[in-house]
Amino acid sequence: MEIELRFFATFREAVGQKERVETFDDGDSVGDVLASLEAAYEGLEGQLLEDGDDGVAIRPQLSVLKNGRDVTHMAGVETALEDGDRLSVFPPVAGG
């Protein structure tokens, strides 16, 4: 399946572009895609997922949207993906 990936701020710098389409296996979840991205891009390694008491989770303060909806309000890393979905990844933002 093809997934449109969108990266922002420091994640865009790590990947080298704002948007790209990548092919993943049918049935892959958000967690599978994020793990694949961490493995593929040195600048993303350890930035997207973390091991916790309940297993692998999206790092705190990180926003991951599937078709504009925050996956933490869905099934988190287990959120299913389908061909043509758009996954947007935002790093933590600080301000004052």
Side-chain angles (χ1 to χ4, degrees):
M1 71 179 157
E2 288 190 343
I3 302 295
E4 178 187 341
L5 302 167
R6 299 177 72 200
F7 304 96
F8 297 87
T10 56
F11 292 162
R12 180 185 305 166
E13 293 171 16
V15 173
Q17 59 193 116
K18 179 180 179 179
E19 296 179 4
R20 61 182 295 117
V21 175
E22 290 194 23
T23 302
F24 296 94
D25 293 332
D26 288 341
D28 273 358
S29 67
V30 166
D32 295 325
V33 170
L34 295 179
S36 175
L37 292 172
E38 282 191 334
Y41 298 100
E42 185 177 312
L44 295 181
E45 187 177 352
Q47 300 298 307
L48 306 177
L49 298 170
E50 69 176 11
D51 292 323
D53 294 337
D54 297 327
V56 175
I58 296 169
R59 292 186 68 77
Q61 314 301 313
L62 193 70
S63 294
V64 178
L65 308 180
K66 173 190 169 185
N67 301 327
R69 291 189 57 216
D70 193 328
V71 299
T72 60
H73 301 296
M74 301 167 98
V77 292
E78 297 300 323
T79 301
L81 294 170
E82 297 177 5
D83 188 52
D85 280 344
R86 181 179 64 241
L87 201 63
S88 303
V89 185
F90 295 85
V93 178

